[in-house]
Amino acid sequence: MQCPECQSTHINKNGHKKGKQNHICVRCKRQFINDYQSQKGYSAEVKRECLKMYVNGMGFRAIERVKNVHHTTIINWVKQAGEILPNCYEERNDSFGKRIR
Ligand SMILES: [Zn+2]
């Protein structure tokens, strides 16, 4: 973890704000909340489960409701996965194109 202000990694915990861990930079005293969700910090397991749901025919909004992952994040994962493994996603390319455009 780094300070968003000075990029120092010398960070201390500084209580909680709105239920999230608050941090303070020892060097510049900048306070910040490390929000994993906004930084796309999902685990590889969550990502794999979302992609599995997608290839099994679930829509992005449905996966969003079940896994609590924003649908644009899932769309990005599908795009990445599609580039790495084009054959696995080929049969759904048409519907995928309609949904995101
Ligand atoms: Zn700092």
Side-chain angles (χ1 to χ4, degrees):
M1 186 171 24
Q2 283 186 331
C3 170
E5 196 70 37
C6 68
Q7 272 71 54
S8 166
T9 53
H10 199 167
I11 308 293
N12 276 345
K13 288 182 178 178
N14 190 41
H16 287 82
K17 265 188 185 173
K18 295 173 189 169
K20 287 173 180 167
Q21 180 66 57
N22 195 35
H23 297 86
I24 186 162
C25 174
V26 174
R27 201 160 107 188
C28 70
K29 307 295 181 203
R30 167 86 140 80
Q31 289 187 44
F32 60 97
I33 293 163
N34 196 33
D35 190 343
Y36 282 106
Q37 293 237 326
S38 68
Q39 292 175 6
K40 302 180 194 169
Y42 295 104
S43 70
E45 191 183 357
V46 170
K47 183 175 174 177
R48 196 167 55 236
E49 284 173 6
C50 289
L51 286 172
K52 201 161 101 183
M53 288 176 175
Y54 173 74
V55 292
N56 281 302
M58 277 179 78
F60 296 118
R61 305 260 176 189
I63 301 169
E64 178 181 324
R65 282 194 297 275
V66 174
K67 300 301 290 180
N68 208 18
V69 175
H70 198 269
H71 62 272
T72 55
T73 304
I74 303 165
I75 290 168
N76 285 333
W77 288 343
V78 170
K79 278 188 197 166
Q80 288 167 10
E83 282 160 22
I84 300 161
L85 301 163
N87 293 336
C88 298
Y89 294 87
E90 201 169 13
E91 59 183 331
R92 284 180 59 86
N93 274 352
D94 287 342
S95 57
F96 174 58
K98 273 179 225 154
R99 278 179 207 208
I100 58 165
R101 276 176 198 125

